[in-house]
Amino acid sequence: MARSNEVNLNECKMVVPLNTWVLISNFKLAYNLLRRPDGTFNRHLAEFLDRKVPANANPVDGVFSFDVLIDRATSLLCRIYRPAMAEEPQPNVAELEKPVAAEVVPVIIFFHGGSFAHSSANSAIYDTLCRRLVGLCKAVVVSVNYRRAPENRYPCAYDDGWTALKWVNSRPWLQSQKDSKVHIYLAGDSSGGNIVHHVALRAIESGIDVLGNILLNPMFGGQERTESEQRLDGKYFVTLRDRDWYWRAYLPEGEDRDHHACNPFGPNGRSLEGIKFPKSLVVVAGFDLIQDWQLAYVDGLKKAGQEVKLLYMEQATIGFYLLPNNNHFHTVMDEISKFVGSGC
Amino acid sequence: MVLYDSTALAGNSSGSSSSSSSKPPLPLQPQQQQEIDGLLAGAGYKVRSSELRKVAQRLERLETAMVNSPADFSQLASDTIHYNPSDLASWVDSLLSEFVMDPVTNQTVVNDAWATTEPNMPQVHQNISYEQQSLNNQLTVVTAMEEDSGIRLVHMLMTCAECIQRGDFSLATSFLEDMQGLLTRVNTVCGIGKVAGHFIDALSRRIFQGIGGGSINGGSAYENEILYHHFYEACPYLKFAHFTANQAILEAFDGHDCVHVVDFNLMHGLQWPALIQALALRPGGPPLLRLTGIGPPSPDGRDSLREIGMRLAELARSVNVRFAFRGVAASRLEDVKPWMLEVNPKESVAVNSIMQLHRLLGSDPNRSSPIEKVLSWIRSLNPKIMTVVEHEANHNQPSFLDRFTEALHYYSTMFDSLEACTVQPDKALAEIYIQREITNVVSCEGSARVERHEPLATWRTRLSGAGFRPLHLGSNAYKQASMLLTLFSAEGYSVEENDGCLTLGWHSRPLIAASAWQAVSDSPAEFPAPDTHRPS
């Protein structure tokens, strides 16, 4: 646990705008209140504090949204975001599931972050991000409200991701005109990025085509303490101790961080050689303490002959993509747009 | 640049909304026109740009405190009651004051050097979308997977409603016939099929019986009470309303020895046993409790109000709470005059309105409606607290089609949530209870249309304008409400915190909203200081 607080607080102040600092520090503070040393989580307080927004079937800035219960048994909800058609200022609400119009419409299945324990599909920060992705990629975005830890450990989040993928893949109204298939991309930040990888694996095994994976500051780890973890511990909003807490909350009891969910290219991982894995866009923030694991992930993909593009944003901290007030944000959004736009 | 209305800056409510009673919002006081950080607003937090630095410094102090005494901090975590997290400045301040800080010696030297934003970074304040969501029509839809015929039915319902709005009744009638046919092929046991039937009926009534209301509202008071009771049993909405209101009333009555609750709609008095018992158990002993219950006159010579009162009195006696009851029979809430309540100036008054205020909203936006008069006399009673629970929906929009659309989605969601109930006849009668609301919203107009539901944002503006300030419901009330819900087998109900109020809904769709208010003691034009987030 970092001792020299003055230094730490000052360092991260230097690299982010004031409102970002306030936002992320607020999360850090709140999250500290929620994690209990015994591994339990104050879920009531977490839900109370989380700022949520309802869906809105009336378009705002050209995007409308609605929620769909895709699995009653697990109460699995997804929020669907669609672009409003230019000619209709207000879509006829009966036409929420109107077939997508264009030749090719990317459908991005999005998994929000929160280290497997925090946030929801209807959290304000993620609602904002998903709306942005619609306009950016001219896509339909499906944000999955997956079950969270510690109440629901591995593999619940992956199971929910898989359910959502199957659901999306089987919607006639999401099929692109060109080939009557759903053009699916998987995207996620933090734990959501981790989920992207594992859901993509299942997709391969089951023959569902995923056109691309987008991992924003994905959450990976391992038993070893890496150089970046030691160097950056406590310096930019995140501590090793809290990372450890979240892995203990998500992984099956008794498992360590070399479990393949946490460390997909580690001692218990599987090789992706010879497998038709989707192309990946991996974004790593230079001030993220787990970057060594993220870079190892990229290496693992490369060694297996998979197509991967790394975007290393040197001066970025976690959460830089939540507010559009920095250059990294815009760079990354451009790259995402190109990634989804090409080879659909 | 976002101009917030004065109520928001008093730290207590969301942005102004276009109220459908077209009374203009109070003019902004000059000192209150201040810029809110647009990006943080998009994340759900309201912080004035001018306060950002101060909030940041306080966050830092909290962080330092956290590191220096982790044990105290985790105590803080488990014991503190939190209020209105959207008002970030107040939230941080309240945590700081809970965590008794040595103001001078413990403070680390704070280097105030935050990065300035990069020079060629346009400060695009994405402030519009958050605000717009409360200003525009918010239409929240939660659907389940529907088959094609279900979707076609919705489409036809909308088109039929549109014809009616245009006055094309013959085309509307032919749609009605088509829909009746389609109904036979759709699963009417649940989902859209079930609720569609009720909407088709309501549209039918509107076309063929006219908008005068006819026999639907003529259901006797007795019938209404039975339906209400089964609705109470079948789903948690009313229980949540009672529970949350009682919690707030209990807190407001803390330290007071003579208390008087005015219930705007007594029904069977289901709300009150729990409050009586809680008062009995309070440390220091119970107060003298007076309850005034308002309800419609009994047609058959029974004095049902008095009967309920006597039952409650018996309960109070059994737990040693001094209790007095008074019934006020009135067919309409607006017929009640404050003198009928016999409020004693020495008592602390709680006014409790569960789904009643919307009935006072007038049909003519150009004339003052009963709501203003009633709010005014409530205020004159100077209540310690006014608890308000209302449907979280906009069923009072001027456009019939908009109302219809909103109602279709609102009631579909509510019916969906009812599926979880398997107890009969509770479920069937609860459905009839809801069906009556649907019929009123869709097929009535003018004074016959009493179900004039308006969303929380609108009520905030109206109540603030009428001289009330919010008393925020905190994390303790939230937690207890959440725990109450786990008693129901249905997973899917969710409690949410909304700017100091609590909502209960089905999945992500809030369906009812509970709030608490206090009369501002001075003239309505004066708004209180910003950190009034605790009940006093």
Side-chain angles (χ1 to χ4, degrees):
Chain A
M1 198 55 182
R3 285 258 156 231
S4 50
N5 300 302
E6 292 164 34
V7 174
N8 296 339
L9 295 175
N10 286 342
E11 276 185 48
C12 61
K13 268 191 275 186
M14 303 288 211
V15 300
V16 294
L18 185 54
N19 49 9
T20 300
W21 194 92
V22 166
L23 182 67
I24 304 191
S25 299
N26 158 64
F27 288 150
K28 176 176 158 185
L29 175 68
Y31 293 179
N32 267 308
L33 294 174
L34 303 172
R35 294 189 302 267
R36 297 201 194 98
D38 64 358
T40 60
F41 189 74
N42 192 339
R43 181 61 64 191
H44 292 299
L45 185 56
E47 294 306 297
F48 180 83
L49 294 176
D50 189 25
R51 305 292 81 204
K52 299 182 200 280
V53 296
N56 194 352
N58 291 321
V60 174
D61 292 340
V63 180
F64 68 94
S65 64
F66 58 99
D67 293 341
V68 183
L69 191 59
I70 69 174
D71 186 298
R72 266 181 204 271
T74 51
S75 286
L76 181 60
L77 211 63
C78 285
R79 178 162 291 181
I80 319 272
Y81 299 84
R82 297 186 66 166
M85 290 300 111
E87 332 77 67
E88 314 166 11
Q90 276 203 341
N92 183 339
V93 141
E95 294 174 346
L96 294 175
E97 298 185 0
K98 184 166 141 182
V100 293
E103 272 290 290
V104 169
V105 178
V107 179
I108 302 175
I109 303 180
F110 181 79
F111 301 98
H112 66 81
S115 307
F116 292 106
H118 299 281
S119 296
S120 306
N122 59 350
S123 294
I125 49 173
Y126 288 113
D127 187 84
T128 301
L129 182 57
C130 288
R131 284 172 168 275
R132 246 191 255 291
L133 290 175
V134 172
L136 192 69
C137 304
K138 311 278 180 289
V140 171
V141 176
V142 177
S143 182
V144 184
N145 199 40
Y146 59 88
R147 282 168 295 167
R148 296 160 305 183
E151 302 94 319
N152 302 286
R153 291 175 178 270
Y154 165 95
C156 293
Y158 303 157
D159 289 344
D160 289 350
W162 174 234
T163 304
L165 177 58
K166 281 186 297 187
W167 184 86
V168 165
N169 195 46
S170 60
R171 296 304 99 195
W173 56 278
L174 285 176
Q175 292 169 353
S176 289
Q177 305 278 339
K178 169 170 128 178
D179 51 8
S180 296
K181 285 164 82 162
V182 186
H183 289 219
I184 298 174
Y185 290 80
L186 301 178
D189 72 310
S190 168
S191 48
N194 177 293
I195 296 171
V196 165
H197 171 80
H198 291 282
V199 171
L201 277 180
R202 286 204 207 180
I204 308 296
E205 284 157 16
S206 315
I208 294 186
D209 266 335
V210 171
L211 296 172
N213 288 351
I214 298 165
L215 289 75
L216 286 173
N217 299 8
M219 186 170 157
F220 293 117
Q223 269 310 101
E224 186 197 331
R225 298 304 193 191
T226 67
E227 185 270 338
S228 67
E229 283 172 322
Q230 284 159 15
R231 174 171 49 94
L232 295 170
D233 184 11
K235 297 237 164 82
Y236 296 95
F237 307 111
V238 184
T239 65
L240 211 44
R241 201 152 148 203
D242 68 62
R243 293 298 97 203
D244 288 352
W245 191 98
Y246 291 114
W247 284 119
R248 272 198 304 276
Y250 178 65
L251 296 170
E253 310 217 33
E255 292 282 354
D256 69 16
R257 291 185 304 274
D258 280 335
H259 186 276
H260 73 96
C262 177
N263 195 356
F265 291 116
N268 301 312
R270 64 178 267 202
S271 167
L272 295 190
E273 260 182 81
I275 293 185
K276 193 169 156 279
F277 200 69
K279 64 173 182 174
S280 301
L281 177 65
V282 182
V283 177
V284 177
F287 290 132
D288 191 339
L289 83 173
I290 61 171
Q291 61 189 267
D292 286 344
W293 295 110
Q294 295 160 339
L295 295 170
Y297 175 78
V298 171
D299 269 342
L301 286 177
K302 282 191 181 143
K303 289 202 179 92
Q306 304 299 343
E307 188 186 335
V308 54
K309 178 166 186 181
L310 167 66
L311 277 181
Y312 186 83
M313 313 304 301
E314 259 187 53
Q315 297 277 303
T317 63
I318 53 145
F320 73 87
Y321 45 81
L322 295 177
L323 300 182
N325 58 3
N326 58 84
N327 278 332
H328 325 299
F329 173 92
H330 293 278
T331 305
V332 166
M333 292 299 145
D334 281 344
E335 290 288 338
I336 292 177
S337 160
K338 282 192 288 206
F339 185 78
V340 172
S342 68
C344 238
Chain B
M1 166 94 141
V2 173
L3 291 182
Y4 250 71
D5 75 344
S6 45
T7 50
L9 290 174
N12 52 31
S13 65
S14 66
S16 65
S17 61
S18 48
S19 168
S20 58
S21 79
S22 60
K23 179 175 171 172
L26 290 179
L28 295 171
Q29 309 297 312
Q31 70 274 17
Q32 286 157 335
Q33 290 176 349
Q34 286 179 49
E35 205 175 312
I36 301 264
D37 184 283
L39 297 184
L40 289 180
Y45 298 99
K46 288 181 290 207
V47 186
R48 267 170 274 189
S49 302
S50 54
E51 283 199 320
L52 263 178
R53 200 156 289 270
K54 188 180 82 163
V55 172
Q57 284 165 356
R58 297 200 180 175
L59 278 168
E60 257 191 315
R61 285 177 64 192
L62 266 171
E63 240 181 86
T64 309
M66 186 172 87
V67 167
N68 291 341
S69 22
D72 291 346
F73 199 77
S74 69
Q75 195 66 33
L76 175 80
S78 47
D79 292 347
T80 292
I81 299 177
H82 302 259
Y83 294 91
N84 196 3
S86 284
D87 183 354
L88 193 51
S90 297
W91 182 68
V92 174
D93 281 353
S94 70
L95 283 180
L96 260 180
S97 65
E98 289 270 340
F99 199 88
V100 180
M101 288 283 311
D102 187 332
V104 178
T105 62
N106 242 0
Q107 205 161 9
T108 50
V109 172
V110 171
N111 181 341
D112 197 18
W114 266 278
T116 50
T117 51
E118 280 120 41
N120 45 8
M121 216 44 266
Q123 276 300 304
V124 174
H125 282 294
Q126 193 223 358
N127 50 20
I128 303 303
S129 52
Y130 180 75
E131 265 323 283
Q132 286 299 95
Q133 287 200 356
S134 43
L135 291 173
N136 282 353
N137 273 348
Q138 177 83 46
L139 181 61
T140 304
V141 177
V142 180
T143 72
M145 302 195 276
E146 297 295 349
E147 342 93 50
D148 278 341
S149 44
I151 296 176
R152 258 194 298 154
L153 204 43
V154 171
H155 201 284
M156 261 195 249
L157 277 166
M158 303 289 302
T159 315
C160 182
E162 206 219 338
C163 291
I164 292 177
Q165 169 149 292
R166 276 185 293 127
D168 188 347
F169 294 108
S170 61
L171 187 53
T173 308
S174 75
F175 271 114
L176 269 183
E177 287 160 10
D178 291 343
M179 287 192 285
Q180 300 283 14
L182 198 53
L183 253 190
T184 60
R185 302 202 295 282
V186 148
N187 180 2
T188 53
V189 170
C190 64
I192 206 82
K194 173 154 251 172
V195 78
H198 298 309
F199 277 87
I200 292 170
D201 278 343
L203 284 173
S204 199
R205 267 182 214 264
R206 190 182 178 102
I207 296 174
F208 298 119
Q209 291 178 20
I211 54 181
S215 58
I216 331 108
N217 288 329
S220 71
Y222 180 65
E223 262 177 40
N224 287 341
E225 279 176 26
I226 304 249
L227 294 177
Y228 181 92
H229 200 124
H230 289 283
F231 179 69
Y232 177 91
E233 293 296 340
C235 46
Y237 303 106
L238 289 177
K239 293 186 189 84
F240 165 80
H242 293 173
F243 182 86
T244 309
N246 284 347
Q247 174 77 22
I249 292 172
L250 196 61
E251 284 178 28
F253 280 169
D254 189 27
H256 296 269
D257 293 323
C258 282
V259 303
H260 183 172
V261 175
V262 177
D263 186 358
F264 275 7
N265 186 27
L266 186 69
M267 283 291 184
H268 291 168
L270 295 172
Q271 182 171 350
W272 307 116
L275 182 69
I276 292 171
Q277 281 160 343
L279 287 172
L281 292 174
R282 83 173 185 180
L288 163 61
L289 169 66
R290 283 184 57 207
L291 174 66
T292 299
I294 299 172
S298 334
D300 50 0
R302 289 164 53 227
D303 186 348
S304 53
L305 288 173
R306 189 163 165 274
E307 281 172 24
I308 310 284
M310 279 177 35
R311 285 212 293 267
L312 290 171
E314 248 178 68
L315 168 68
R317 195 168 24 246
S318 75
V319 292
N320 293 321
V321 175
R322 291 165 299 149
F323 178 81
F325 175 83
R326 183 182 171 77
V328 173
S331 340
R332 299 177 316 167
L333 196 49
E334 56 247 53
D335 295 335
V336 174
K337 305 283 176 267
W339 58 261
M340 298 173 187
L341 309 175
E342 291 192 357
V343 167
N344 182 318
K346 297 211 192 75
E347 358 177 81
S348 297
V349 176
V351 173
N352 182 74
S353 166
I354 311 284
M355 327 285 213
Q356 298 305 303
L357 293 187
H358 63 259
R359 298 170 159 262
L360 300 170
L361 296 174
S363 42
D364 187 344
N366 297 318
R367 288 205 328 230
S368 80
S369 40
I371 186 77
E372 281 153 35
K373 227 173 31 151
V374 173
L375 288 178
S376 168
W377 67 244
I378 293 176
R379 216 174 148 270
S380 73
L381 298 178
N382 196 24
K384 205 88 191 58
I385 187 169
M386 174 172 68
T387 46
V388 175
V389 179
E390 285 288 327
H391 301 67
E392 183 58 5
N394 199 347
H395 295 151
N396 199 24
Q397 299 169 70
S399 146
F400 171 71
L401 184 58
D402 289 343
R403 272 202 321 271
F404 184 85
T405 306
E406 174 110 15
L408 185 58
H409 290 283
Y410 180 86
Y411 288 106
S412 299
T413 309
M414 188 170 266
F415 262 85
D416 212 28
S417 77
L418 252 194
E419 284 312 303
C421 170
T422 48
V423 180
Q424 297 290 14
D426 289 339
K427 184 172 170 189
L429 293 175
E431 288 181 6
I432 298 179
Y433 176 87
I434 301 172
Q435 186 192 347
R436 286 197 176 181
E437 277 187 15
I438 294 173
T439 308
N440 190 271
V441 174
V442 172
S443 69
C444 296
E445 290 299 341
S447 54
R449 177 156 62 90
V450 295
E451 300 295 349
R452 292 179 178 269
H453 314 143
E454 289 190 343
L456 188 53
T458 311
W459 282 110
R460 279 199 183 105
T461 308
R462 179 177 287 110
L463 290 173
S464 301
F468 292 89
R469 65 177 178 91
L471 294 174
H472 290 154
L473 303 173
S475 55
N476 54 343
Y478 178 92
K479 178 175 176 180
Q480 290 176 57
S482 287
M483 280 166 41
L484 172 78
L485 287 178
T486 62
L487 295 178
F488 289 86
S489 50
E491 251 205 48
Y493 286 107
S494 66
V495 185
E496 281 182 20
E497 194 281 342
N498 181 330
D499 231 335
C501 305
L502 297 185
T503 63
L504 171 63
W506 180 245
H507 292 288
S508 55
R509 167 75 211 239
L511 292 172
I512 68 170
S515 57
W517 303 82
Q518 190 177 63
V520 171
S521 45
D522 298 315
S523 71
E526 257 185 62
F527 286 89
D531 69 332
T532 52
H533 60 267
R534 311 267 188 105
S536 45

